[in-house]
DNA sequence: CGTTTCGATCGAAACGTTTCGATGCTATCG
DNA sequence: CGATAGCATCGAAACGTTTCGATCGAAACG
């Protein structure tokens, strides 16, 4: 009872309509047999499944389903250049959590290099700030009414925010150093951005006169270079506060290269609370709940897609003292 | 001449049909005015564009366009758990190149956690082996006739392969160590996989009796632990050959922690040729053209999508000697 | 001036689903 | 026994494009 063309040419892939015909039921019944949206008698379902198998039908065409449903099942995540965005383990940890939640909800995660034209159907977009401030696609996405979730970002209208308490974390770190007797403190910053501004404000609650070494990406080599040329310029401090553990690691490496002992001659603090197995000192750092942040982000995405109202989230951080800071 | 409902309820987003009506042209003409598929008089185009602007039409609905075209514009890339897959800079460098080429072609890159059910419309899928051998979605994708490009993978029917010359690289590395006088050589491996088997074969061309320390992921901590317990078990060698620079870095770190000098007491070699700024010794390694590999992969994807025949690719590697290896 | 060619426009047919509403039909209830 | 409910099934209408083929003038040609 196979369908006609055994001598077929470039066989068109079978559609649900073909399956329905083969099974001798209507298109809608065939659909229900698969989706389970409406009840179908066992016998009929059997027949439909058999027809599908015999025709080699591989399930509903996702393109058609998407159009019908008005959903693509894909969430975009805007990152800068991939290799720089994910070089920091903190970004990865968060991405991991996002992916896990989205995956469980049957959604895919699409990497959006920063300035990509978005000709793709996205159900929502996550914008993970990494020291960036502008976003080429923002206006376009707003115009298209795509739900937007911004992580650690500036206040853009129409977006949901997921953030951490940068200021409190930085302030706690400042107090820790102050308690240790440090007075000449310098800081290595990220590019101007919301998290950077908040953290600097927190640090200045304790050290109003903190010196800015310079700004660089969250990258070991970049941090080495930036702090290195600062030292080369004759500057110094008893403690350096960084904006990521990766930066801090760069400062530690560079300090040692120059014969400085950490924490004997120099205290170094980071931010994030990631694990850097290759660094033989445990960094004093502000631990942020990366997995929670990722999950909160993903949950916000799901809620926004579902059309629910979503409240912004600010997650707490905590200070973890390690061996990279000591008495001044 | 604005359309009717100024007091509209939950306004349905305007469609191209609305634009056409507003502009007083047919649907097909409106479509042509945007896509440029067929010539349209300047005056008409003007009118259509104006109508689109006045209605706030944001361009063709990607879902509908995709269904019509039979393309989704999305390419999947199968990775394991994201955080482990991208912890190695080598994976990132390659991903970066893939993304760049795909992006230029207007395609998006979707991260596929390994065992995800693929209910999404993918134009093609990249399977980047990272010591993995099986692939849950493989059968499904083949059944759906999705073009598959496998990087460094086993020979699966119907897929295009992008590979590097593992064996020659490993053999060159072996000869280098042999020339330095090493005879007691051990190797840290990846999980059993095509690249691992090839590399081990290459190494055995020079050291048939090479001892296997153990298998672990390309991760500093994992490498430290694996080689550490091997040493703890009383084993030793004058040189350790690793399957990635990250593994090699782990071995270097662990060796030093135990008071071994590299390369004085122990030579360590890696694979990949990535930059690890925090490691103060330049690794002897097999440099693989990561960006080329990524570009070749992306080009293969594009060609397969276009329905062209694509030949498998094997890229050459070269030995780079650094300060991590020395006389036995 | 009759014929051909070409450019601009239009109508209609896909693309392959999901889902709304309607239609019988068989049990259930009072 | 008539009214009501519930189940299985069906037909048809979306979803919003792109594109094929046809039509209609006007310009170009001999």
């Amino acid at each position: 009872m196979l369908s006609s063309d055994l001598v077929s040419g470039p066989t068109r892939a079978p559609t649900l309509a073909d399956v329905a015909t083969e099974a001798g039921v209507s298109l809608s019944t065939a659909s229900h047999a698969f989706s389970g949206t409406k009840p179908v008698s066992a016998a009929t379902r059997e027949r439909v499944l058999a027809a599908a198998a015999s025709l080699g039908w591989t399930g509903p065409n996702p393109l058609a389903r998407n159009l019908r449903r008005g959903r693509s099942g894909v969430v975009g995540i805007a990152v800068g250049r991939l290799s720089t965005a994910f070089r920091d383990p903190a970004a990865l940890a968060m991405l991991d959590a996002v992916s896990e939640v989205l995956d469980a909800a049957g959604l895919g995660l699409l990497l959006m290099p920063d300035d990509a034209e978005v000709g793709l159907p996205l159900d929502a977009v996550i914008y993970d700030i990494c020291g960036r401030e502008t976003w080429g696609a923002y206006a376009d996405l707003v115009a298209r009414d795509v739900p937007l979730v911004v992580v650690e970002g500036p206040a853009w209208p129409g977006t949901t925010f997921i953030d951490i308490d940068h200021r409190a974390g930085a302030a706690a770190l400042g107090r820790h150093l102050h308690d240790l007797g440090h007075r000449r403190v310098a800081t290595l910053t990220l590019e101007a951005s919301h998290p950077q501004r908040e953290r600097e404000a927190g640090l200045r609650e304790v050290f109003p006169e903190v010196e800015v070494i310079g700004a660089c990406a969250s990258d070991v080599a970049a941090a080495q270079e930036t702090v290195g040329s600062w030292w080369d310029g004759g500057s110094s401090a008893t403690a350096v506060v960084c904006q990521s553990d990766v930066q801090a690691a760069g400062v530690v490496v560079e300090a040692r290269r120059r014969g400085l002992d950490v924490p004997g001659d120099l205290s170094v603090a980071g931010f994030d609370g990631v694990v850097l197995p290759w660094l033989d000192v445990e960094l004093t750092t502000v631990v942020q709940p990366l997995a929670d942040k990722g999950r909160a982000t993903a949950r916000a995405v799901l809620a926004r897609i579902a059309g629910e109202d979503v409240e912004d989230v600010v997650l707490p951080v905590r200070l973890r003292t390690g061996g990279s800071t000591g008495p001044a």
Side-chain angles (χ1 to χ4, degrees), chain A:
Chain A
M1 207 64 82
L2 284 167
S3 85
S4 52
D5 47 4
L6 289 176
V7 269
S8 51
T11 37
R12 181 180 56 82
T15 76
L16 184 54
D18 298 330
V19 173
T21 306
E22 178 82 8
V25 300
S26 79
L27 176 56
S28 51
T29 301
S31 176
H32 291 137
F34 282 97
S35 66
T37 316
K38 275 192 176 182
V40 164
S41 80
T44 306
R45 169 179 293 107
E46 197 81 4
R47 212 143 26 92
V48 173
L49 293 178
S54 94
L55 290 181
W57 186 69
T58 50
N61 178 323
L63 260 35
R65 191 222 308 251
N66 285 350
L67 172 59
R68 181 59 233 235
R69 292 224 183 123
R71 294 264 164 78
S72 69
V74 175
V75 173
I77 182 165
V79 297
R81 199 181 169 73
L82 303 182
S83 58
T84 57
F86 295 140
R87 202 192 302 289
D88 190 323
L92 276 182
M94 145 134 188
L95 183 71
D96 221 23
V98 170
S99 158
E100 195 172 347
V101 174
L102 255 36
D103 201 43
L107 296 178
L109 196 55
L110 183 108
L111 295 174
M112 297 170 55
D114 213 6
D115 298 322
E117 282 305 314
V118 194
L120 301 173
L122 298 174
D123 289 349
V125 172
I126 297 168
Y127 186 66
D128 191 10
I129 311 288
C130 298
R132 293 164 296 151
E133 285 263 80
T134 62
W135 190 15
Y138 172 70
D140 183 38
L141 291 169
V142 167
R144 282 171 42 195
D145 229 17
V146 178
L148 258 33
V149 175
V150 173
V151 182
E152 302 192 11
W156 286 332
T159 60
T160 299
F161 295 97
I162 310 294
D163 207 351
I164 58 173
D165 196 347
H166 301 283
R167 189 182 291 240
L173 191 52
R175 279 191 299 276
H176 165 69
L177 291 172
H178 195 273
D179 290 348
L180 286 171
H182 292 276
R183 294 300 178 267
R184 284 172 45 236
V185 175
T187 183
L188 190 59
T189 74
L190 299 167
E191 308 297 330
S193 58
H194 162 76
Q196 177 55 48
R197 280 187 297 273
E198 285 296 303
R199 294 179 190 182
E200 197 167 325
L203 190 57
R204 285 193 194 280
E205 288 177 11
V206 183
F207 300 107
E209 308 286 304
V210 65
E211 182 177 356
V212 173
I213 294 173
C216 70
S218 182
D219 178 85
V220 172
Q224 282 187 258
E225 191 184 326
T226 307
V227 76
S229 59
W230 182 69
W231 277 325
D232 287 340
S235 306
S236 73
T238 64
V240 171
V241 174
C242 302
Q243 305 309 321
S244 79
D245 291 343
V246 170
Q247 278 186 340
V251 171
V252 170
V253 167
E254 185 64 18
R256 290 188 176 155
R257 214 177 60 81
R258 289 162 182 256
L260 293 174
D261 181 56
V262 175
D265 303 319
L266 179 74
S267 285
V268 178
F271 205 107
D272 289 344
V274 300
V275 178
L276 300 176
W278 45 267
L279 193 65
D280 57 2
V281 56
E282 199 193 3
L283 290 171
T284 289
T285 190
V286 175
V287 180
Q288 59 164 313
L290 290 163
D292 286 345
K293 193 170 73 171
R295 281 189 289 264
T297 302
R299 278 196 302 262
V301 164
L302 296 180
R304 289 284 311 260
I305 290 178
E308 301 164 14
D309 289 330
V310 186
E311 297 199 354
D312 295 350
V313 175
V314 177
L315 296 167
V317 298
R318 67 183 176 79
L319 179 68
R320 182 174 70 203
T321 57
S324 68
T325 53

